[in-house]
Amino acid sequence: MRHLDTDVAVIGGGAAGIGAAIAAAKTGARTVLVEAGPMLGGELLSGMSVDGVLNARGEWVVRGVAEEIFEECRQMQGFIGPLHDFRLICYVCCDPEVLKLAIPRVLARYGVQVILYSQVSETYSDNGEVEAVVISHRDSRTLLTARYFVDASGDGDVAVQAGAPFEISDASGDLQPLSLMFRMSGVENAPFLDFVRDNAASLAVGESDYVRGGRSDEELAQAIHAQGAPSVFFKGNGPFLGGAIQRGDMFPTALIMIMPTSEARKEVCVNATRVAENIMGTDAAAVSAAMPLLTEQVWQAARFLKENVPGFENAAFAGVAPRIGIRETRRIMGEYVLTGEDCRTGRKMRDVVTKGAHHIDIHQEGIKQVRIPVENGGSYDIPWQSLIPQGLKNLVVAGRCMSSTREANGTTRMMGQCLGMGHAAGTAAAMAVSGELADIRKLPLDRLQATLREQGAVLEGTH
Ligand SMILES: Cc1cc2nc3c(=O)[nH]c(=O)nc-3n(C[C@H](O)[C@H](O)[C@H](O)COP(=O)(O)OP(=O)(O)OC[C@H]3O[C@@H](n4cnc5c(N)ncnc54)[C@H](O)[C@@H]3O)c2cc1C
């Protein structure tokens, strides 16, 4: 077995992992980023909007490393910018094809060593200290030793292998559905937005008091039209999509969510498909078995849009996400378990290291979905304690697998939050290395927060 040694090892190259690797390297640590797949970005490459970087008021709640990635996209003409959905949130849209180029560029700028096509399959730990992970490549294995580890695998693979406690689902036993995103190019914006304006009853709009602001559905549809971007949600219980589901023209789904990915290609991402069979995302056979149904749903939804939505008549099917989207698996239990109430009420905390703003968003079967906004269009704090797994000294978690209840995970799983958590985790790990700390808990909170602020992270000053 080969041997590689580093200061900070980041496992998983999705939003949280790239945030962590950039931050760790920026803070001065020799950093290795290990990714199981062929490409960096994880779900960021699916084409979906990056949610949770702004609150519903349009205040940026996640900056720092996230902003650096957006800036790289902007310079490569792949940044569409913040948009309002006039339903619950504001979000940022980027071209996923540009993200594929921009992310490696930023990582290279800071000298992060990236190892693709390589999965962490084993973790060696002793007395709460992670000593090494074993990386399986196609032709060999590497023993990776590091002073500090960041688990950004989405599923908490390393933390679980090292013995951290975790939860899956809640008393319901439910798991959110799997989905496969797809894109359509050549969408004519003007007729599409006219159709949207004229079908207000079919749109998901004004789902929080703050966003509705006393406006009618028609006024909110007019606001989408005036914004001028193809950023639209057709609701599963509205006349347009609901009628299609009843006729059998569409499969049951909560929403058809349409968001822009490229102005140059007149391209949008469509989030509509779902297989809601409580499939555990780490079960490769079960996830694979969902693929034929998801691909049929993609084709059905693409055809439905072309045949029924003005502006889509001559649109071309432009591709699917690089992998099936998995919304929910394990949640690592940390020193603090963030709750749905913390998020919903926009709670501010002393040990904040990043923020969140997305509504609690739990997809269910058929046309069902839980959507609970953060009060008053505000944001909540993600505390340092919920990135520290119980019982482990030199491992930090970031991203979808952070310490939260199932309800809170419905919002913290968003890509904006994952980027922000990654930033905090990577900076903390690098500081712990340079301070030669044996336990991440010994890192002074005020020094961590001061460094994060210097690096552009938002820790205060927002609703
Ligand atoms: C269908 C769907 C729709 C969504 N819609 C939105 C949306 O519109 N906006 C939004 O902001 N969020 C959305 N989300 C949520 C969001 O995309 C994810 O929760 C978020 O991207 C997770 O980021 P992450 O970095 O924690 O994990 P991921 O992006 O999943 O990245 C984890 C990475 O780790 C790698 N990995 C895993 N295990 C190992 C291992 N053992 N060794 C090495 N590498 C490993 C994986 O290959 C992956 O690349 C959606 C999610 C899904 C599935």
Side-chain angles (χ1 to χ4, degrees):
M1 198 180 326
R2 288 183 231 160
H3 179 217
L4 178 65
D5 182 64
T6 190
D7 293 334
V8 175
V10 179
I11 314 306
I18 58 174
I22 293 166
K26 211 174 171 168
T27 312
R30 289 179 304 144
T31 304
V32 171
L33 173 59
V34 184
E35 165 55 44
M39 201 73 74
L40 292 168
E43 287 302 324
L44 276 170
L45 304 184
S46 63
M48 291 175 292
S49 54
V50 182
D51 295 346
V53 283
L54 303 113
N55 63 17
R57 294 168 180 262
E59 294 170 338
W60 286 84
V61 303
V62 179
R63 299 189 96 123
V65 171
E67 202 167 25
E68 203 162 335
I69 294 165
F70 295 147
E71 182 52 32
E72 203 62 41
C73 286
R74 191 197 311 273
Q75 286 179 19
M76 299 171 89
Q77 285 86 50
F79 183 77
I80 294 173
L83 295 170
H84 207 303
D85 73 354
F86 296 99
R87 175 188 62 135
L88 286 160
I89 49 167
C90 295
Y91 48 60
V92 159
C93 292
C94 294
D95 182 341
E97 297 302 327
V98 169
L99 272 168
K100 286 179 185 168
L101 309 182
I103 292 167
R105 215 183 231 195
V106 180
L107 286 159
R109 184 177 301 149
Y110 293 105
V112 174
Q113 182 179 352
V114 174
I115 306 178
L116 298 170
Y117 304 98
S118 301
Q119 180 152 355
V120 166
S121 50
E122 271 176 81
T123 299
Y124 295 123
S125 63
D126 183 32
N127 195 26
E129 186 185 340
V130 179
E131 294 168 338
V133 293
V134 177
I135 314 171
S136 299
H137 319 291
R138 284 183 66 185
D139 60 349
S140 59
R141 299 196 305 159
T142 298
L143 185 75
L144 174 61
T145 48
R147 309 293 82 66
Y148 270 84
F149 293 81
V150 177
D151 186 340
S153 64
D155 304 320
D157 281 9
V158 186
V160 170
Q161 287 166 13
F166 64 93
E167 285 184 1
I168 299 170
S169 186
D170 56 11
S172 71
D174 291 344
L175 288 166
Q176 296 200 48
L178 310 183
S179 296
L180 186 60
M181 305 297 136
F182 67 96
R183 289 179 283 146
M184 303 281 291
S185 59
V187 176
E188 294 303 333
N189 214 12
F192 176 48
L193 288 178
D194 287 350
F195 176 76
V196 167
R197 182 199 53 207
D198 299 340
N199 284 276
S202 293
L203 309 176
V205 283
E207 291 188 355
S208 73
D209 291 344
Y210 180 81
V211 171
R212 182 161 284 281
R215 292 176 284 185
S216 66
D217 286 359
E218 287 69 24
E219 287 169 314
L220 289 160
Q222 180 61 47
I224 294 173
H225 189 274
Q227 181 169 245
S231 160
V232 176
F233 295 51
F234 292 110
K235 59 185 178 191
N237 57 357
F240 175 63
L241 177 56
I245 294 170
Q246 271 172 10
R247 289 193 304 277
D249 293 344
M250 267 296 286
F251 48 87
T253 188
L255 298 163
I256 295 181
M257 306 179 229
I258 296 174
M259 54 214 102
T261 47
S262 166
E263 284 162 355
R265 297 192 298 274
K266 300 183 178 180
E267 189 186 88
V268 296
C269 175
V270 185
N271 179 355
T273 65
R274 57 177 54 209
V275 172
E277 294 170 3
N278 291 334
I279 293 169
M280 180 57 186
T282 51
D283 180 344
V287 172
S288 305
M291 187 58 113
L293 180 51
L294 286 167
T295 49
E296 285 311 312
Q297 289 183 352
V298 164
W299 199 243
Q300 184 179 0
R303 202 183 52 210
F304 172 75
L305 290 169
K306 272 177 79 70
E307 289 174 359
N308 295 282
V309 179
F312 278 77
E313 303 92 335
N314 299 313
F317 173 70
V320 289
R323 58 183 193 172
I324 294 174
I326 293 163
R327 292 186 172 87
E328 181 179 7
T329 56
R330 308 181 190 110
R331 289 171 282 109
I332 302 301
M333 292 296 107
E335 296 293 346
Y336 182 72
V337 182
L338 194 71
T339 68
E341 191 183 345
D342 293 334
C343 301
R344 205 167 4 92
T345 58
R347 189 167 165 211
K348 307 294 185 282
M349 303 199 191
R350 192 185 66 84
D351 65 336
V352 54
V353 285
T354 187
K355 285 175 175 282
H358 195 83
H359 49 282
I360 292 168
D361 181 350
I362 304 175
H363 293 249
Q364 297 162 310
E365 43 148 359
I367 66 165
K368 291 192 280 179
Q369 184 184 5
V370 173
R371 300 195 287 264
I372 306 170
V374 179
E375 285 172 11
N376 300 318
S379 62
Y380 58 88
D381 286 353
I382 296 182
W384 175 221
Q385 303 267 322
S386 60
L387 305 188
I388 306 175
Q390 291 169 23
L392 297 179
K393 296 174 184 161
N394 62 335
L395 185 142
V396 187
V397 288
R400 183 162 58 77
C401 54
M402 69 161 284
S403 175
S404 61
T405 64
R406 181 167 192 249
E407 193 183 23
N409 200 248
T411 159
T412 58
R413 68 188 180 89
M414 294 304 142
M415 295 189 278
Q417 279 54 77
C418 294
L419 282 163
M421 281 184 252
H423 181 168
T427 297
M431 290 175 72
V433 171
S434 65
E436 298 185 10
L437 305 179
D439 190 327
I440 195 77
R441 290 161 189 78
K442 294 204 160 65
L443 182 64
L445 178 66
D446 55 346
R447 280 194 45 223
L448 172 60
Q449 290 175 325
T451 307
L452 290 171
R453 282 188 200 97
E454 277 165 27
Q455 294 174 342
V458 178
L459 303 190
E460 56 263 308
T462 64
H463 284 84

